[in-house]
Amino acid sequence: DHYYQDAYDTIGLRLGNGIAYHYGKSNYYRGPEITSATLGTDRTYIDVTISHRGGNDFTPATGITGFDVLNSSEAKLTISSVVKIDSAKLRINLSAAAPAGPISIRYLYGKSPTITGAVHDNSTLQLPLEPTAVPIVVSE
């Protein structure tokens, strides 16, 4: 994707906006970020809260990819779907209830994460949801 003209145009606009931000001509240069995650009482879903910088909503509403849910030994749990709840929250639905113990999530982790349904904001730059550098602990 990044070798095509449309991708170069997008990257150029984002880079230009980053420079504008540095010189005080733009209010943002980064995409939205995950600020918290909460495990449902029945442990079958996780609500993820997103903080916006340039936009105030995100897409897609369904078919969101790129998330991992980990148990205490960092084994991946099976995700059945990830869907938008509202403009600042999405829900990770698990195939089965999460086991007892700590749970964490990560987004766009690793060398080749699945990004067919990556989250982007609704700013004019359609900035992506920032990947997590380390797993985010999910509160119960």
Side-chain angles (χ1 to χ4, degrees):
D1 229 28
H2 62 284
Y3 293 114
Y4 296 101
Q5 183 64 43
D6 291 349
Y8 284 132
D9 292 345
T10 299
I11 291 168
L13 290 171
R14 290 176 180 171
L15 181 61
N17 188 68
I19 294 167
Y21 178 84
H22 176 76
Y23 288 105
K25 303 295 182 186
S26 178
N27 295 327
Y28 68 97
Y29 71 99
R30 295 171 61 186
E33 69 177 327
I34 297 170
T35 55
S36 66
T38 306
L39 186 62
T41 55
D42 64 359
R43 301 181 71 87
T44 62
Y45 67 90
I46 299 167
D47 284 343
V48 179
T49 303
I50 295 172
S51 175
H52 292 281
R53 293 185 175 105
N56 59 13
D57 204 353
F58 67 89
T59 59
T62 62
I64 296 169
T65 60
F67 280 94
D68 292 325
V69 177
L70 310 169
N71 66 15
S72 59
S73 62
E74 295 201 6
K76 290 183 188 180
L77 304 181
T78 304
I79 297 172
S80 60
S81 67
V82 182
V83 298
K84 177 179 176 178
I85 299 297
D86 60 36
S87 64
K89 190 174 286 185
L90 57 82
R91 177 167 287 170
I92 301 171
N93 293 301
L94 301 173
S95 295
I103 301 295
S104 61
I105 63 167
R106 59 188 181 196
Y107 182 67
L108 297 183
Y109 177 82
K111 186 176 178 181
S112 298
T114 303
I115 59 169
T116 55
V119 175
H120 288 82
D121 70 12
N122 68 338
S123 70
T124 56
L125 298 175
Q126 297 180 327
L127 294 169
L129 178 63
E130 292 194 345
T132 55
V134 295
I136 296 171
V137 176
V138 178
S139 62
E140 293 187 44

